[in-house]
């Protein structure tokens, strides 16, 4: 399923209608969603989904699909913005840079704004993005995240899951900045661990382990 034009809510006000997209193969968003009148929620379930546009909803966004971010042409790099005005954004599949059809890393970037964000699968395991920016009340990271450029988290981070794991955040060439608290997402303290690797600088600007170590 391929969308080459804008998508907006046809209601009298934003957040009236919703869209669910289910494809056995691939989905592509090549123009903005919600730029004029945001939908309530957006749900996407597919083998893979390319997002070369900005997506805004009033309610939640759920991606049960691997995401490829930005333009496949490395000469037309862009920053994709996913925004939920009042809801959560949840990623169940991997997220990678779409440049050169997944062969050129560090070209496109991703900005995320939401109430809560959840990463349930790796980011940048195949083809790292340039930068990743997350602004939310809370964000769960139950996966590894790799970028070529910076990572900035303006959000309270909850690391791992109830079973326990080591989450690794890596910036190949730039900085990683934490502007919110960081806590263990396990049922008890000491369940999960965090490793941070940055080629340049790391900044912790809020407490770690205040709720769960």
């Amino acid at each position: 399923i391929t969308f080459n034009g804008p998508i907006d809510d046809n209601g009298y006000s934003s957040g009236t209608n919703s869209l669910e997209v289910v494809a056995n193969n691939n989905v592509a968003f090549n123009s903005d969603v919600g730029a004029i009148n945001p939908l309530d929620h957006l749900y996407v379930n597919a083998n893979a989904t390319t997002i070369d546009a900005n997506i805004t909803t009033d309610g939640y966004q759920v991606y049960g699909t691997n995401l490829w971010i930005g333009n496949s042409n490395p000469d037309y790099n862009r920053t994709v913005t996913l925004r939920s005005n009042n809801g959560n954004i949840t990623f169940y599949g991997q997220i990678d840079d779409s440049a050169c059809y997944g062969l050129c890393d560090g070209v496109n970037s991703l900005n995320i704004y939401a109430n809560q964000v959840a990463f349930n699968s790796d980011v940048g395991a195949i083809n790292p993005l340039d930068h990743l920016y997350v602004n939310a009340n809370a964000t769960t990271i139950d996966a590894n995240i790799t970028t070529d450029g910076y990572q900035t988290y303006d959000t309270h981070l909850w690391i791992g899951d109830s079973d326990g794991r080591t989450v690794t955040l890596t910036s190949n060439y730039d900085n990683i900045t934490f502007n919110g608290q960081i806590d263990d997402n396990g049922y008890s303290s000491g369940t999960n661990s965090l490793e941070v690797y940055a080629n340049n600088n790391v900044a912790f600007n809020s407490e770690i382990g205040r709720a769960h170590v």
Side-chain angles (χ1 to χ4, degrees), residues 75 89 136 158-159 181 185 207:
D75 294 329
I89 299 180
W158 293 89
I159 299 298
Q181 291 179 212
N185 196 41
E207 293 178 320

Side-chain angles (χ1 to χ4, degrees), residues 26 28 30 48 50 52 67-75 96-105 107-108 126-128:
N26 300 325
N30 296 317
T50 300
D52 187 21
L67 291 184
W68 293 91
I69 299 298
N71 200 302
S72 60
N73 187 333
D75 294 329
D96 288 285
D97 195 320
S98 185
C100 302
Y101 300 97
L103 298 176
C104 303
D105 59 326
V107 174
N108 298 289
I126 299 173
N127 203 40

Side-chain angles (χ1 to χ4, degrees), residues 145-205:
I145 297 179
T146 301
T147 56
D148 277 1
Y150 69 81
Q151 296 176 36
T152 299
Y153 299 97
D154 284 335
T155 176
H156 186 167
L157 288 184
W158 293 89
I159 299 298
D161 56 32
S162 59
D163 294 326
R165 64 166 296 159
T166 297
V167 168
T168 302
L169 305 180
T170 303
S171 172
N172 292 327
Y173 306 111
D174 212 328
N175 305 327
I176 299 180
T177 304
F178 304 96
N179 291 322
Q181 291 179 212
I182 304 174
D183 287 289
D184 193 318
N185 196 41
Y187 290 127
S188 61
S189 62
T191 303
N192 298 280
S193 300
L194 176 63
E195 297 184 356
V196 182
Y197 300 88
N199 191 56
N200 200 3
N201 300 322
V202 174
F204 296 99
N205 296 317

Side-chain angles (χ1 to χ4, degrees), residues 43-49 51 61-69 82 89-97 110 112 117-126 129 140 142-145:
Y43 172 78
V44 183
N45 188 307
N47 180 48
T49 297
I51 302 180
Q61 297 177 34
V62 173
Y63 298 96
T65 172
N66 293 330
L67 291 184
W68 293 91
I69 299 298
L82 305 180
I89 299 180
T90 304
F91 304 99
Y92 287 109
Q94 293 182 201
I95 304 174
D96 288 285
D97 195 320
L110 178 61
I112 304 167
V117 175
F119 296 98
N120 296 302
S121 194
D122 288 347
V123 178
I126 299 173
L129 296 161
T140 301
D142 189 20
N144 299 321
I145 297 179

